[in-house]
Amino acid sequence: MVDKSKALLEVQNIKVSYGAVQALKGVTLGVKEGEIVTLLGANGAGKSTLLKAIMQMVPLQEGDVLYLKESLTRTKTNQIVKKGIALVPEGRGILASMTVLENLELGAFHRSDWRSELDHIFELFPILKERIKQSAGTLSGGEQQMLAIGRALLSKPRLLLLDEPSLGLAPKIIQNIFQLIQRIRNEGISILLIEQNAHMALKVADRCYCLETGQVVISGSADELAHSEELKKAYLGG
Ligand SMILES: Nc1ncnc2c1ncn2[C@@H]1O[C@H](COP(=O)(O)OP(=O)(O)OP(=O)(O)O)[C@@H](O)[C@H]1O
Ligand SMILES: [Mg+2]
């Protein structure tokens, strides 16, 4: 049973710098069990850095990241995946010269039972089954995004971090991706979704945070924020 009051992820006042550039200036946010939470923000706001910080792919200067009340700051990225968080990175991270199946297998590096899960992935993304022996570089952008999501799901996450899954895709494919995001949530997986497509993101999300130059400037329920004048001006084109 999904318990919507249960805190799954708690990001507490985190600060991250790249040399002189402070990308995150003290960010606090959370995802509860069963939620889709969207993180909006302009280019360079720090969105991808936040996901990397959750996965401990960049060092935290300050603050903490808790998953099920346990700090992740001393946990290696592959251990975090084993605990139940999967990242679909910016740019998808597909290995072009490897086949679709080989790419999927990478997502299940710590599981011996992953083949039994493949049927479920192919049910979600039938096109991947058709393309299974093809090298991933020959897939269309939308198919590559599905492969990236399928690969992340093979690690059996409880929390999925999606970094701009709709970027560069045609409107019809974007709709498809958003439907899949809702379906994945309905299967009990919580989602933190980075998007530049604020309209679509607010339709599927329960809650929303807006990041501006490394700080949360607006947060609230997606329904409320879809009608907020402040958010409309900044992210919804007036
Ligand atoms: N590896 C890096 N080295 C130096 N600076 C970086 C590095 N990665 C990101 N930055 C800087 O940190 C800030 C936040 O970058 P980040 O990629 O997190 O933003 P973003 O919100 O994901 O942007 P986008 O919408 O373009 O993907 C930016 O000013 C960026 O230039
Ligand atoms: Mg980014």
Side-chain angles (χ1 to χ4, degrees), residues 18 21 23 42-49 90 164 196:
Y18 301 104
V21 179
N43 291 121
K47 305 180 298 294
S48 299
T49 301
E90 192 167 36
E164 299 203 47
Q196 296 235 354

Side-chain angles (χ1 to χ4, degrees), residues 42-226:
N43 291 121
K47 305 180 298 294
S48 299
T49 301
L50 181 84
L51 298 193
K52 287 179 195 155
I54 293 167
M55 298 305 285
Q56 305 302 313
M57 294 159 72
V58 290
L60 303 188
Q61 280 175 308
E62 258 186 68
D64 205 349
V65 177
L66 305 185
Y67 176 65
L68 296 170
K69 303 283 176 199
E70 205 184 296
S71 175
L72 295 181
T73 52
R74 289 168 183 275
T75 311
K76 293 206 164 64
T77 303
N78 61 346
Q79 293 296 328
I80 293 174
V81 176
K82 283 188 197 177
K83 283 178 186 283
I85 308 181
L87 168 67
V88 178
E90 192 167 36
R92 303 170 191 138
I94 293 301
L95 297 170
S97 62
M98 290 171 73
T99 66
V100 166
L101 184 64
E102 286 164 344
N103 270 277
L104 287 171
E105 195 174 353
L106 289 175
F109 67 93
H110 59 292
R111 299 179 64 219
S112 54
D113 59 342
W114 66 282
R115 281 187 178 269
S116 60
E117 193 64 23
L118 266 184
D119 284 342
H120 177 229
I121 300 298
F122 291 148
E123 193 194 315
L124 284 172
F125 310 104
I127 193 73
L128 295 183
K129 190 170 186 181
E130 288 174 35
R131 305 264 188 271
I132 188 154
K133 290 183 180 158
Q134 229 167 285
S135 62
T138 64
L139 300 184
S140 71
E143 290 163 356
Q144 289 193 8
Q145 188 61 57
M146 290 174 197
L147 177 57
I149 297 172
R151 184 179 57 188
L153 290 177
L154 271 178
S155 72
K156 277 257 181 197
R158 197 155 155 186
L159 174 65
L160 187 62
L161 311 178
L162 295 172
D163 198 341
E164 299 203 47
S166 71
L167 193 70
L169 303 180
K172 203 161 169 263
I173 311 287
I174 294 178
Q175 286 214 332
N176 206 330
I177 297 275
F178 273 94
Q179 280 167 2
L180 282 160
I181 289 171
Q182 283 171 294
R183 189 163 163 202
I184 291 165
R185 186 265 293 276
N186 291 342
E187 291 183 358
I189 298 171
S190 310
I191 295 172
L192 179 56
L193 169 68
I194 290 186
E195 262 302 330
Q196 296 235 354
N197 193 334
H199 273 293
M200 299 279 287
L202 288 171
K203 273 189 201 152
V204 301
D206 300 294
R207 290 188 304 113
C208 168
Y209 295 90
C210 301
L211 206 57
E212 213 174 279
T213 55
Q215 284 176 309
V216 173
V217 290
I218 307 174
S219 66
S221 83
D223 285 346
E224 265 167 38
L225 292 185

